[in-house]
Amino acid sequence: MNYQKAFLPVVMLLISSILLAQKDKYEKIMGADISFLPELEDKGIHFSVDGTEGDAIDILKQHGFNYIRLRIFNDPGSDSGYSPGKDYCGLEQTKMMAKRIKAAGLKFLLDFHYSDTWADPGKQFKPAAWEDLDFGQLITAVRGYTKDVLTELKKQGTLPDMVQVGNEINHGMIWPDGKADNMDNLAALFKAGAAGVKDVDASIPIMLHIACGGQNKESVSFIDNMLERDVKFDVIGESYYPQWHGTLDSLQYNLNDLSKHYKQDIIVVEYTYKKNEVNDIAFNIPDGKMKGTFIWEPLNTWEFIFDKDGKANELLNLYPGIAKKYNIKLLK
């Protein structure tokens, strides 16, 4: 009997099992930013699948999602804020949403905009309450505000499982003080926010979020500039919208390159289009550094997975298949 031939299938099966175990030992994230949810519910929208209504968070969980992302504005209810006279994406609403997320058994990422309204590469408005602060006072305010928010979440047992210090900050944050043409200031502001996180819980991973999903040169330049200034972070977050950030090939090249050159984990923390393709790219980046994806506002924005009346459409049904294909599970 040829024992080598007899045992070859067993050996190959064992090797395959070991490789699969190694591939699946990493925490995999399939997340969604649904910060609009309370606003939509206040408008009377009820979410449903095939005629059966349910909590949007539970529906996402049932379709393979294991993480929720929330943005937070300093004072969205101010006259120049995101929602004058209301608290949409403010602290109290964030606390309520955090309770719902944790009650559903999901994890959550908190995204500090450090603004009273939207912050992105085209605008990073300073909160009104900080307008008259000098730079030293601004540093103190960023750290204190971050600490205060997380302390409030900790009191109710809903600390975030990851924190973004700033939103899409490759052009800077809290303008004009933290514009990217003054990297020293920008680095100092990021460090202040990170320190505020660590003041509350040193174990919370911190994300550096940039809007350069398919732009490798810009990504590397920005990350290197932060590292040269001793900025500490655990996760590189990339936004990817093809109309701004390049082709799918450029996304794949960028994520592969970042995975090779940096020790930090990587997440596509915003996308909407090319759902299958973006997830296929993300979950096939080698070395286990690519942790996953967050679809941006799928309840009602751009290529949404629920119609405007809250009824799930066929795009929601892509996600159980993605979860099964990449063995994405609830996170402990």
Side-chain angles (χ1 to χ4, degrees):
M1 180 178 180
N2 188 327
Y3 289 100
Q4 283 185 321
K5 288 185 178 180
F7 283 108
L8 184 59
V10 177
V11 172
M12 293 303 294
L13 180 61
L14 180 60
I15 292 172
S16 177
S17 298
I18 292 171
L19 291 175
L20 182 61
Q22 288 178 336
K23 182 178 180 180
D24 289 341
K25 74 179 180 180
Y26 301 107
E27 181 179 83
K28 295 177 182 178
I29 292 170
M30 191 159 76
D33 186 320
I34 55 170
S35 304
F36 277 136
L37 179 58
E39 194 171 350
L40 297 172
E41 290 174 333
D42 285 352
K43 291 178 180 177
I45 295 175
H46 298 272
F47 294 90
S48 64
V49 178
D50 297 329
T52 301
E53 288 188 6
D55 187 303
I57 295 171
D58 290 329
I59 293 172
L60 291 173
K61 177 183 177 180
Q62 292 159 10
H63 286 76
F65 288 85
N66 59 12
Y67 232 105
I68 300 296
R69 178 183 185 238
L70 300 177
R71 61 181 167 271
I72 185 167
F73 302 129
N74 287 44
D75 186 8
S78 67
D79 290 343
S80 59
Y82 166 75
S83 55
K86 299 181 180 179
D87 187 54
Y88 292 126
C89 297
L91 175 57
E92 292 306 314
Q93 190 186 84
T94 298
K95 288 165 64 176
M96 290 189 294
M97 282 289 287
K99 285 182 178 179
R100 291 175 64 177
I101 293 164
K102 294 292 187 176
L106 304 182
K107 290 194 172 187
F108 97 93
L109 163 62
L110 185 59
D111 171 13
F112 282 92
H113 279 233
Y114 297 112
S115 178
D116 295 333
T117 188
W118 299 103
D120 57 47
K123 54 188 179 295
Q124 296 275 341
F125 301 122
K126 185 183 294 185
W130 298 352
E131 280 291 345
D132 296 327
L133 302 183
D134 63 31
F135 190 68
Q137 292 170 327
L138 184 59
I139 291 291
T140 301
V142 170
R143 181 171 184 169
Y145 166 71
T146 307
K147 179 180 178 180
D148 289 346
V149 168
L150 295 180
T151 298
E152 287 293 306
L153 290 167
K154 184 176 182 179
K155 285 178 183 177
Q156 64 176 23
T158 61
L159 270 176
D161 301 280
M162 191 185 306
V163 170
Q164 274 182 234
V165 176
N167 189 74
E168 295 184 328
I169 65 169
N170 44 292
H171 289 175
M173 59 191 283
I174 315 177
W175 291 350
D177 305 70
K179 276 202 166 185
D181 57 4
N182 190 332
M183 282 287 181
D184 290 341
N185 275 10
L186 175 54
L189 289 169
F190 188 95
K191 288 178 183 179
V197 177
K198 301 303 181 183
D199 285 341
V200 179
D201 189 330
S203 69
I204 296 176
I206 291 173
M207 177 186 291
L208 176 74
H209 179 203
I210 57 181
C212 302
Q215 298 159 303
N216 182 248
K217 182 178 178 180
E218 292 87 343
S219 295
V220 169
S221 175
F222 185 80
I223 294 167
D224 284 350
N225 266 291
M226 292 294 98
L227 292 174
E228 287 168 7
R229 288 161 175 80
D230 200 33
V231 170
K232 302 289 195 304
F233 53 96
D234 307 288
V235 181
I236 298 167
E238 291 271 10
S239 295
Y240 177 69
Y241 301 106
Q243 67 268 40
W244 296 311
H245 305 137
T247 65
L248 288 166
D249 286 343
S250 65
L251 173 67
Q252 184 173 31
Y253 176 82
N254 185 36
L255 297 181
N256 268 297
D257 186 66
L258 299 182
S259 179
K260 291 175 185 175
H261 288 99
Y262 300 106
K263 65 180 182 180
Q264 286 83 0
D265 294 335
I266 306 167
I267 295 174
V268 179
V269 75
E270 288 188 27
Y271 76 98
T272 183
Y273 306 108
K274 309 290 185 182
K275 292 171 171 55
N276 276 323
E277 295 89 339
V278 169
N279 281 284
D280 282 342
I281 288 170
F283 289 113
N284 280 293
I285 300 298
D287 302 324
K289 292 180 183 176
M290 190 72 212
K291 297 303 180 186
T293 64
F294 284 82
I295 184 173
W296 194 77
E297 288 294 4
L299 304 185
N300 76 326
T301 305
W302 291 339
E303 196 179 75
F304 38 80
I305 62 181
F306 292 84
D307 293 335
K308 293 294 184 179
D309 59 1
K311 295 177 183 177
N313 61 43
E314 68 280 359
L315 293 175
L316 177 63
N317 292 326
L318 297 176
Y319 284 91
I322 294 169
K324 182 178 181 180
K325 183 176 183 179
Y326 295 108
N327 197 25
I328 297 165
K329 301 175 181 177
L330 288 179
L331 302 171
K332 296 179 181 180

